[in-house]
Amino acid sequence: MHDLDKALADIVAIRSQIARDTAFRGLGSATLAATGLLALTTASGQALWLGEPTGRPILFFGLWIATALAAAGLIGVEMVRRSRRLHSGLADAMVWNAIEGFLPAVGAGACLALVLGRFAPDQIWMLPGLWQVLVGLGLFASARILPRAVQGAGAWYLLAGLAVLAMGSESHALSPWLMGLPFAVGQGWLAVIMHGAGGRDGDF
């Protein structure tokens, strides 16, 4: 029984190693482009109907958090669907590896929002830029299983986040466009990368 347990453990370890060394093809270009369009739509809606968002940060960030959850849901469903078709028996491990690269960035983003909202509400204007920096770092962390060109999109998010922080440092104002445009461009860039890498297969 001990030998059987060891053999099963070895098989699991081998499958995990193969999954870590295999290029992930679970991201579809159409879905990524749709999330960029979703960010642009949210920014447009806030610019038209929200007015001056600085005085209503809860509504401003609430809409963006809802947008992020919707985008994550779209990407998650597509990841599972494509992985089961393209990665077969390694699908679960491949999806987990892809998620694992972004978990620290997601956790850090949530903690930053909670800490700034609770202890430094006057500095909450920094969140859009900080979130963009974290997305860039998440892409860099995931580059080992994604096309190398993804690092370019990661650099875009990093530089865009720093630029947003610099532009907002004087007025401390919240801007739908400083939140939406970097994400729209970044997701569009990712869509082009995945399209070129074969990520269009099986898209909607």
Side-chain angles (χ1 to χ4, degrees), residues 68-135:
L69 291 174
L74 286 173
I75 293 173
V77 169
E78 180 73 347
M79 281 173 57
V80 172
R81 184 180 72 85
R82 285 173 57 87
S83 293
R84 287 178 177 170
R85 181 171 63 83
L86 298 173
H87 295 300
S88 188
L90 292 175
D92 291 343
M94 295 293 291
V95 169
W96 173 249
N97 281 341
I99 294 173
E100 193 176 34
F102 261 96
L103 278 181
V106 172
C111 290
L112 280 171
L114 290 173
V115 170
L116 289 179
R118 175 65 178 84
F119 299 106
D122 291 342
Q123 305 303 317
I124 204 164
W125 63 271
M126 299 176 67
L127 270 183
L130 292 173
W131 281 347
Q132 291 161 32
V133 168
L134 289 173
V135 170

Side-chain angles (χ1 to χ4, degrees), residues 124-173:
I124 204 164
W125 63 271
M126 299 176 67
L127 270 183
L130 292 173
W131 281 347
Q132 291 161 32
V133 168
L134 289 173
V135 170
L137 294 177
L139 287 174
F140 281 123
S142 300
R144 61 185 176 81
I145 60 170
L146 295 174
R148 292 184 62 85
V150 163
Q151 295 182 31
W156 159 259
Y157 274 113
L158 179 61
L159 294 175
L162 294 175
V164 166
L165 288 170
M167 286 186 284
S169 61
E170 290 187 8
S171 65
H172 292 186

